[in-house]
Amino acid sequence: MTSAEPFFDFTSVWSSMPMLLKGFGIAMACATVAIILAIILGLIVALMRLSRIKFLRWFAFIYTQFFRGIPLYVLIIWVYFGLAIAAGVNLPAIPAGILTLALLNSGYLSETFRSGILAINKGQVEAGTALGLSRRNVMRHIILPQAFRVIIPPLGNQYVDAIKDTAILSIIGVPELMRESKALANLYYRPFEFYTFAGLLYLFAVLVVSRGISVVEKKLSAHSAQTPATIALSK
Amino acid sequence: MNSYKFDWNVIDKYFPELIRGLGITLEISLVGMAIALVFGLLLAMGRLSSMRFIRTVANAITQLFRSIPLFVMLFWVYYGLSLKFHILFTEFQAGALALGITGGAYMAEVFRGGLMAVDPGQREAAMAMGISRGTTFSHVIFPQALRVVIPPSVNVYVGLLKGATIVSVIGVSDMIYVAQYVSLQTFTPFELYSVAGIIFVALTVSISGFAWMLERRLGRGRSD
């Protein structure tokens, strides 16, 4: 009898470790840049939704509904293979991927910000106004700092989702973890081992981020008593 | 210079095929959801089990499958599992299974929340009346949990429906797949993807709206 191949053989995974870790690094970098952009965009859209100008409110509402409703895969294909081709622009994969991820997440985050802002006690606004602060300053110095504390947990979840979503960026050629895993799985004909390992790396990232978020959350709640807002959103 | 020629007539011509593709997306997501419901309920019951070992295993499985991207899960099932265990999945089966596994982990969370929301007094009352554990679960606890479970389940379904769009990467002929191969012949990817995207957004937004309505309705009778 010839020596049978081992059932599970992770040697090719170990020897490809530098490529896989590089892919993982690119995935994490894409998710991080995208979530930072999404925070900025999401905040702008949330403020538009709470604006006194009707047009801005409507625009923000449609923006949120659209980006929350569209699947990332469809959006990315539309941007990269539809819009870019129709407009005749040559989009590099990484910026296109990050931009798409940021737009999608900003839709979700704007809702998070909105509910965070609305969760702040009305009395705070009134007190600010009574002290002669402008609407803008009330928002900037009173509401947003408090709202930000409330939205830490949902923000963390969004970051976790963004990390998982980076796997889809492989279809436009971003050299992230999934793309590297696909290439290596085909090369060594070991799909089970490579995809299992990729899955475990994503699990690792998710666990680390979730842990980090709960540490931050604990630190913040140690500094402040529970407000009605934190109670309302922690459900 | 831009040489792209817009041709919206292509939509008229291929609309029935796009809709047929949408039908496949709906079908695969519904099969995936059915698997997710069964798998999720089992996981949730495991997580609430009185046996510590079962609890630990069920918790670990939930965490694991929730953390792995659906895209990775799809490749893991279709290429990894099938090659390793010599199971010949069709593209549709692999897609539905991947959706079911990921969805199941999300449903486990939803079911657990629903089961825990039922007042423990209900279980105690059933026990005091001499009802067996199984009957207590199926006739007392579960029906009450269902009310809490329905709205978030619809949201999980919307997630699966959106996730189901990626199955075209393994060759399921859904709407995106149709748009892809039609655009190869007609060179009108912008028109095709735009229409596919709009149809999709309309669908998910209406289902989410329905979930929101359900949540308000089902929550109405609750006094707590």
Side-chain angles (χ1 to χ4, degrees):
Chain A
M1 215 179 103
T2 52
S3 64
E5 242 186 280
F7 191 62
F8 293 113
D9 184 5
F10 281 90
T11 45
S12 46
V13 173
W14 298 133
S15 61
S16 321
M17 197 57 85
M19 279 176 83
L20 291 171
L21 289 182
K22 192 174 164 221
F24 180 60
I26 291 176
M28 290 301 289
C30 287
T32 308
V33 176
I35 211 78
I36 292 169
L37 289 176
I39 290 173
I40 299 167
L41 277 173
L43 189 59
I44 295 171
V45 175
L47 292 176
M48 281 165 85
R49 267 209 83 177
L50 296 168
S51 156
R52 277 174 299 190
I53 302 161
K54 198 171 176 181
F55 170 75
L56 290 182
R57 282 205 306 270
W58 268 102
F59 173 81
F61 177 72
I62 292 168
Y63 181 98
T64 326
Q65 291 293 322
F66 180 79
F67 286 115
R68 273 160 38 116
I70 196 156
L72 177 60
Y73 181 66
V74 178
L75 184 63
I76 214 159
I77 285 190
W78 184 74
V79 168
Y80 200 73
F81 298 115
L83 189 63
I85 288 175
V89 289
N90 192 7
L91 269 182
I94 293 182
I98 290 176
L99 183 70
T100 321
L101 209 51
L103 284 172
L104 196 93
N105 281 291
S106 70
Y108 289 91
L109 283 182
S110 74
E111 279 297 280
T112 307
F113 288 134
R114 192 177 76 106
S115 51
I117 291 168
L118 290 177
I120 303 302
N121 196 333
K122 270 255 152 62
Q124 301 269 339
V125 182
E126 284 156 15
T129 320
L131 284 163
L133 289 175
S134 67
R135 215 178 117 85
R136 198 201 188 103
N137 279 329
V138 169
M139 185 57 90
R140 219 178 110 192
H141 296 292
I142 297 179
I143 301 180
L144 287 182
Q146 295 185 71
F148 198 71
R149 188 177 297 170
V150 180
I151 57 142
I152 290 284
L155 192 60
N157 288 336
Q158 205 60 46
Y159 184 42
V160 164
D161 278 348
I163 293 170
K164 287 158 61 185
D165 276 346
T166 55
I168 293 181
L169 301 189
S170 65
I171 59 152
I172 58 167
V174 175
E176 46 63 71
L177 179 58
M178 191 54 193
R179 181 145 186 114
E180 299 296 347
S181 304
K182 265 195 273 188
L184 291 162
N186 290 340
L187 181 66
Y188 292 103
Y189 203 52
R190 287 256 163 229
F192 184 85
E193 284 81 353
F194 276 100
Y195 296 136
T196 302
F197 185 73
L200 291 177
L201 274 183
Y202 286 107
L203 173 69
F204 170 76
V206 169
L207 290 179
V208 168
V209 171
S210 314
R211 186 88 211 108
I213 295 296
S214 62
V215 168
V216 172
E217 211 184 332
K218 229 172 237 159
K219 272 225 171 110
L220 286 176
S221 63
H223 287 300
S224 69
Q226 286 250 307
T227 63
T230 56
I231 295 163
L233 269 147
S234 64
K235 275 204 275 198
Chain B
M1 201 204 106
N2 188 1
S3 53
Y4 191 86
K5 289 199 175 51
F6 287 93
D7 177 16
W8 291 95
N9 291 324
V10 84
I11 302 302
D12 275 344
K13 200 169 158 201
Y14 292 99
F15 197 70
E17 285 190 51
L18 285 172
I19 295 299
R20 204 173 315 138
L22 181 67
I24 290 174
T25 308
L26 283 170
E27 200 181 325
I28 203 168
S29 61
L30 285 171
V31 176
M33 188 67 188
I35 298 171
L37 286 174
V38 176
F39 182 45
L41 185 58
L42 287 175
L43 274 180
M45 286 166 71
R47 292 177 69 184
L48 296 169
S49 160
S50 49
M51 270 174 284
R52 200 197 157 123
F53 173 72
I54 295 181
R55 276 205 311 270
T56 315
V57 171
N59 278 329
I61 292 177
T62 311
Q63 176 72 56
L64 176 69
F65 289 159
R66 266 172 59 109
S67 306
I68 294 179
L70 181 61
F71 197 71
V72 178
M73 186 62 83
L74 187 66
F75 278 72
W76 189 74
V77 171
Y78 188 62
Y79 298 107
L81 271 191
S82 65
L83 187 68
K84 187 100 306 187
F85 298 102
H86 305 289
I87 315 165
L88 263 180
F89 290 118
T90 63
E91 294 84 3
F92 188 93
Q93 287 165 348
L97 187 60
L99 286 169
I101 292 173
T102 303
Y106 283 95
M107 281 312 297
E109 200 78 340
V110 170
F111 277 127
R112 196 178 83 109
L115 294 174
M116 281 175 36
V118 177
D119 193 317
Q122 298 280 332
R123 182 191 295 274
E124 286 156 17
M127 266 168 62
M129 291 172 79
I131 299 173
S132 76
R133 262 178 80 98
T135 315
T136 301
F137 184 80
S138 65
H139 285 69
V140 180
I141 312 284
F142 192 69
Q144 296 187 65
L146 211 55
R147 187 150 92 162
V148 186
V149 161
I150 289 174
S153 302
V154 179
N155 285 327
V156 170
Y157 176 68
V158 172
L160 287 190
L161 185 61
K162 285 157 77 179
T165 52
I166 65 166
V167 295
S168 64
V169 295
I170 60 166
V172 176
S173 51
D174 69 354
M175 190 163 56
I176 297 301
Y177 189 86
V178 171
Q180 262 162 350
Y181 84 65
V182 171
S183 68
L184 285 179
Q185 299 158 10
T186 59
F187 308 107
T188 51
F190 179 78
E191 292 85 333
L192 288 159
Y193 294 139
S194 300
V195 169
I198 288 166
I199 293 176
F200 225 91
V201 171
L203 190 66
T204 52
V205 168
S206 12
I207 301 177
S208 299
F210 175 69
W212 183 79
M213 219 178 67
L214 266 182
E215 201 167 352
R216 298 191 58 158
R217 283 215 145 182
L218 292 175
R220 202 159 52 188
R222 291 166 61 85
S223 52
D224 48 23

